[in-house]
Amino acid sequence: MLLRLMRGHLKPYKGWLISIVLLQLVATGAMLYLPSLNADIINKGVIKGDTGYILGAGGLMLGVSLAQAICSVSAAWFGAHVSMAFGRDLRGAVFHRVGGFSAREVTTFGAPSLITRATNDVQQVQMLTMLTCTMAVQIPILMVGSIIMAVHVNAGMSWLVAVVVPILAILVGIVVTRMVPHFRKVQERLDAVNKVLREQITGIRVVRAFVREPLETERFAVANDALTDVSLKAGNWMATMFPIVMLVANGASIALIWFGSHRIAAGTMLPGDLTAFLSYLMQIVMSVMMGTFMLMMVPRSAVCADRIGVVLDTDSSVVPPARPVTSVGVAGHLDFEGVALTYPGAEQPVLRDVTFSARPGQTVAIIGSTGAGKTTLVNLVPRLLDATEGRVLVDGVDVRDLDEELLWSRLGLIPQKAFLFSGTVASNLRQGKPDATDDELWEALRIAQGEDFVRAMPEQLDAPIAQGGTNVSGGQRQRLAIARALVRRPEIYLFDDAFSALDLATDARLRAALRPETRDATVVIVAQRIATIRDADLILVLDDGVVVGRGTHDELMADDPTYQEIAASQGIGDEEAVA
């Protein structure tokens, strides 16, 4: 998966990669040439006392060193740009893939894991790409070239290279194979820490309200300690890598000096050759050390790449139509025909045989106990989920065949959990209609009963909104979310328990203001309170995913036991209903 990601996302930068390879070739060639020049200076200049040769060869060494420095810096510059562009593209690919997921895939992965994969995991792969551009090209050239040059300098000492390289390879291989499982666990434990931290930050009010700080502290400590333990194990193996390499390198240097000094004394080796051979041996060790550093990154990057690949290879259960319908003849028509929904692996369906129709000017309400499937039913209309049986039709066309942009342009969804984006009041209200005027925004706020508190803010429409709308109350968030949908003026309104945070008086005023504004639109309301839906043209009573009752408020109060039970729990009796 790691190779596939790098191969796929580095393809647009092929020209830059070729430049990096060429620059690294020149820089590595210069590094290989310098020890030979140094040996010649010692053998032909220092020993013979030829100052002219020393100056000439020294000037050449300076030129080669300058060329090597320029090429190395240029290769690093190109490598940095390629790796940053690679990270940008990969993050974009993950973001767009997640953006196309249905609610089912998002729930399967979990928000903390998706955030980690799009940030930390991408960063790990990006770092490996940076090292690949700056080191991966240089390492094999430097190692092979140093071995060849060392043998060329003195073939009699080449046995030392034949011993050192395999020993280093075996020892490094053992350490790397031990690190891989620990790095895989590191990413899993990081997900767990993110999950706990995200829950604590999101639910900080609940934690404090129920005095659960000690328990939450303990939860975080357990997840944090688990991450620390596995990170220490991986770090311990990483820490053994460099001492092993240095031990072998220093042992090889001692052996070289020992045997080399005997060969010099015997006249079979020149002092400059010993210096050059030692330099090439150090370059071999240096290439192994650089390779070791990369190998330490590879296991973790490979794990991260696998996690990213799972996201990129996961197809949404909501598939865009192959031949989308781009125009319809009617407006505001909503039909459910024998709709059922079953999650993969579930024993029972969430919804079963749901059938109803809604037309412009009608209000259809859905009520039922918690977990009855109300929100799931509404989510089928904008295709946050797809029905496994039956059809959901908007304007006479199955939503699975309708062009997505056309479908969404006809809907105004106010979700159960009102969410606001960081920005201003105006930027949030213009989410569905970017060119909306200030007058349109104020009109929407007036209808949604949000004009008073927005005018009370010092900046009014330019008042800042924190991420998630955490700097306003729950009721204010709901009213702003309703106003956001009203600005768009859709043909079908989907209120998914959008009045739950409002007091009864505000709820009544808002619904009264909505009626003239939505008289030409189709309105679907999911609610928990009967007071919110008692005036609906059609009320559907859901129980365990099945429509067990339908009719007006009076009809259901007369003959539907489930509805009567809900009414009784809210203190609504027959006499009050008639009143």
Side-chain angles (χ1 to χ4, degrees):
M1 178 56 69
L2 179 60
L3 291 176
R4 196 183 89 185
L5 285 180
M6 296 180 74
R7 186 167 54 245
H9 290 275
L10 288 175
K11 188 178 294 184
Y13 310 104
K14 187 181 296 183
W16 288 43
L17 292 173
I18 292 173
S19 299
I20 292 171
V21 172
L22 294 176
L23 289 168
Q24 291 284 19
L25 280 172
V26 175
T28 308
M31 288 181 66
L32 293 172
Y33 185 39
L34 286 174
S36 294
L37 277 174
N38 188 46
D40 288 342
I41 289 174
I42 294 172
N43 294 334
K44 300 177 182 180
V46 176
I47 294 176
K48 295 180 179 180
D50 189 345
T51 306
Y53 185 85
I54 293 174
L55 293 175
L60 180 58
M61 283 188 71
L62 288 175
V64 172
S65 298
L66 181 62
Q68 183 229 336
I70 293 173
C71 291
S72 296
V73 171
S74 300
W77 188 88
F78 280 110
H81 278 69
V82 168
S83 60
M84 294 303 108
F86 167 82
R88 176 198 62 203
D89 296 345
L90 189 56
R91 275 191 299 271
V94 174
F95 175 82
H96 289 299
R97 175 63 71 174
V98 172
F101 281 168
S102 70
R104 182 182 303 172
E105 286 77 44
V106 173
T107 303
T108 300
F109 283 103
S113 181
L114 288 174
I115 291 171
T116 304
R117 294 172 199 239
T119 53
N120 182 268
D121 289 359
V122 172
Q123 187 177 12
Q124 296 298 325
V125 179
Q126 178 181 296
M127 181 62 68
L128 181 65
T129 306
M130 175 68 178
L131 294 176
T132 301
C133 292
T134 54
M135 292 185 183
V137 178
Q138 185 181 22
I139 290 169
I141 301 172
L142 186 61
M143 175 175 283
V144 175
S146 296
I147 292 173
I148 293 173
M149 293 299 292
V151 174
H152 176 71
V153 167
N154 193 291
M157 295 294 294
S158 58
W159 63 269
L160 189 60
V161 175
V163 172
V164 171
V165 173
I167 290 176
L168 282 174
I170 293 171
L171 293 176
V172 169
I174 291 173
V175 174
V176 170
T177 55
R178 296 296 189 276
M179 284 193 299
V180 172
H182 295 303
F183 278 127
R184 189 176 299 276
K185 290 180 182 178
V186 165
Q187 297 306 117
E188 295 172 358
R189 303 285 169 81
L190 187 61
D191 277 349
V193 170
N194 284 341
K195 178 181 178 181
V196 174
L197 187 60
R198 192 169 183 268
E199 286 179 348
Q200 291 179 356
I201 293 174
T202 305
I204 187 65
R205 294 181 180 178
V206 177
V207 172
R208 291 176 178 174
F210 289 92
V211 196
R212 305 292 285 181
E213 290 95 335
L215 179 62
E216 292 301 319
T217 301
E218 183 180 350
R219 281 185 65 212
F220 182 80
V222 170
N224 195 25
D225 288 343
L227 174 61
T228 302
D229 290 342
V230 72
S231 298
L232 283 174
K233 291 177 182 177
N236 289 336
W237 282 108
M238 289 177 62
T240 62
M241 188 82 76
F242 286 107
I244 289 173
V245 172
M246 292 307 299
L247 178 63
V248 175
N250 291 331
S253 299
I254 293 171
L256 175 61
I257 294 172
W258 174 267
F259 291 105
S261 62
H262 284 79
R263 296 181 69 86
I264 291 173
T268 58
M269 189 176 191
L270 294 173
D273 294 343
L274 177 61
T275 304
F277 199 99
L278 183 60
S279 297
Y280 287 126
L281 184 62
M282 289 300 101
Q283 285 184 354
I284 293 171
V285 173
M286 185 173 65
S287 64
V288 172
M289 290 181 66
M290 289 192 298
T292 300
F293 186 68
M294 280 203 63
L295 287 173
M296 287 191 297
M297 295 293 299
V298 168
R300 187 171 185 179
S301 299
V303 172
C304 295
D306 290 340
R307 287 158 50 86
I308 295 169
V310 171
V311 174
L312 296 178
D313 291 340
T314 299
D315 293 323
S316 175
S317 55
V318 176
V319 182
R323 296 181 178 178
V325 177
T326 56
S327 62
V328 291
V330 294
H333 289 207
L334 176 63
D335 299 279
F336 277 64
E337 298 180 351
V339 171
L341 175 65
T342 305
Y343 287 113
E347 296 180 358
Q348 294 182 344
V350 181
L351 296 173
R352 287 175 288 176
D353 194 27
V354 177
T355 300
F356 71 91
S357 296
R359 295 293 181 264
Q362 281 188 312
T363 298
V364 175
I366 303 167
I367 195 170
S369 60
T370 301
K374 305 183 296 296
T375 296
T376 302
L377 188 148
V378 171
N379 286 342
L380 294 174
V381 182
R383 295 197 71 197
L384 299 179
L385 297 166
D386 268 349
T388 51
E389 296 180 25
R391 299 192 303 166
V392 179
L393 295 91
V394 170
D395 296 339
V397 180
D398 192 323
V399 292
R400 289 170 290 197
D401 299 327
L402 200 59
D403 179 74
E404 291 180 337
E405 294 295 331
L406 179 62
L407 170 64
W408 296 332
S409 68
R410 292 172 178 254
L411 303 177
L413 173 64
I414 301 91
Q416 187 175 21
K417 183 180 179 181
F419 186 87
L420 301 179
F421 296 90
S422 57
T424 63
V425 172
S427 68
N428 273 277
L429 297 185
R430 290 192 173 103
Q431 286 285 332
K433 188 179 179 182
D435 59 345
T437 63
D438 287 355
D439 291 339
E440 290 178 294
L441 302 187
W442 284 118
E443 176 63 14
L445 287 169
R446 181 191 66 77
I447 299 168
Q449 307 303 302
E451 183 180 11
D452 291 342
F453 77 81
V454 173
R455 288 196 184 278
M457 296 178 175
E459 300 90 345
Q460 297 192 357
L461 288 177
D462 293 324
I465 297 294
Q467 182 182 5
T470 54
N471 62 330
V472 294
S473 69
Q476 291 171 338
R477 277 198 301 272
Q478 280 197 338
R479 282 176 280 175
L480 288 174
I482 293 170
R484 179 171 58 195
L486 289 169
V487 169
R488 189 170 188 172
R489 301 291 177 180
E491 298 169 359
I492 300 174
Y493 287 89
L494 304 172
F495 294 94
D496 184 8
D497 205 11
F499 308 100
S500 59
L502 306 180
D503 60 81
L504 291 174
T506 305
D507 184 355
R509 289 197 304 271
L510 196 155
R511 286 185 288 108
L514 271 176
R515 288 191 195 101
E517 299 299 324
T518 60
R519 60 177 176 268
D520 296 327
T522 303
V523 180
V524 177
I525 300 177
V526 171
Q528 298 281 356
R529 294 195 301 238
I530 287 180
T532 302
I533 62 170
R534 64 192 307 164
D535 297 327
D537 300 297
L538 174 65
I539 300 175
L540 302 177
V541 183
L542 275 184
D543 186 21
D544 198 20
V546 180
V547 178
V548 297
R550 66 176 67 218
T552 63
H553 172 76
D554 294 339
E555 293 170 349
L556 292 171
M557 286 295 294
D559 57 20
D560 188 87
T562 305
Y563 192 80
Q564 292 169 359
E565 183 180 345
I566 296 172
S569 69
Q570 298 178 16
I572 299 176
D574 291 337
E575 294 180 0
E576 185 180 354
V578 173

